[in-house]
Amino acid sequence: MSDPSPLLALRAGLIARFSADPGLAALLGGHVRLYDEPPWGTPPVYALWEDSAIEDDAVDGAERHRHSHAIAVIAQPGSVRTALDAAARMAALLADAAMPLAGCRLVTLRVRAIRARRDARTGEARASLAVEAVTEIL
């Protein structure tokens, strides 16, 4: 079996980092719930992968990739604070993070932004976390 793509390797590293934290688990309803798409019938609070991209960032012969990943934390109507608390905890977990990744190494990782918004139609509150990273193929 081959190593996963750098995008999937970083996602797996983020999931491992988040899943090991009981504080984040408590904010997300008892365990870390990070889904690819909204889970049918699952009440908030939970997190979703949003847009993700990697771009070639080769330097001096090193095979590197620049990543951007967005994670949304979905909260119950009227409770944007629960989404912001979980997003802030995720950001804190990524500060100075050293994560082992399959097939590559983490060069840099930072949280670029945390944003909050409310859906006018549903009242759903969400906080979005923008994560940037650079990885290098081993």
Side-chain angles (χ1 to χ4, degrees):
M1 182 173 170
S2 65
D3 289 329
S5 75
L7 186 144
L8 293 175
L10 183 58
R11 275 189 173 197
L14 293 170
I15 290 168
R17 178 65 142 208
F18 296 152
S19 295
D21 185 68
L24 180 58
L27 291 168
L28 293 175
H31 63 281
V32 174
R33 301 183 301 162
L34 180 53
Y35 303 109
D36 287 325
E37 57 187 62
W40 187 82
T42 300
V45 175
Y46 57 84
L48 296 172
W49 291 110
E50 290 192 312
D51 294 340
S52 295
I54 61 172
E55 299 176 15
D56 179 49
D57 193 40
V59 176
D60 295 328
E63 189 176 351
R64 293 168 50 143
H65 295 91
R66 183 169 302 280
H67 297 250
S68 63
H69 295 266
I71 301 168
V73 180
I74 312 301
Q76 296 174 358
S79 64
V80 73
R81 174 155 186 170
T82 59
L84 284 169
D85 286 346
R89 182 66 189 154
M90 289 177 168
L93 290 169
L94 298 180
D96 301 318
M99 286 186 284
L101 304 176
C104 56
R105 74 175 185 87
L106 187 61
V107 177
T108 63
L109 177 71
R110 74 182 183 118
V111 174
R112 186 174 45 86
I114 297 175
R115 295 181 178 86
R117 69 180 176 91
R118 183 177 318 282
D119 184 295
R121 184 180 56 81
T122 65
E124 174 186 85
R126 83 173 38 204
S128 295
L129 187 75
V131 178
E132 294 179 342
V134 173
T135 59
E136 184 174 284
I137 301 294
L138 297 175

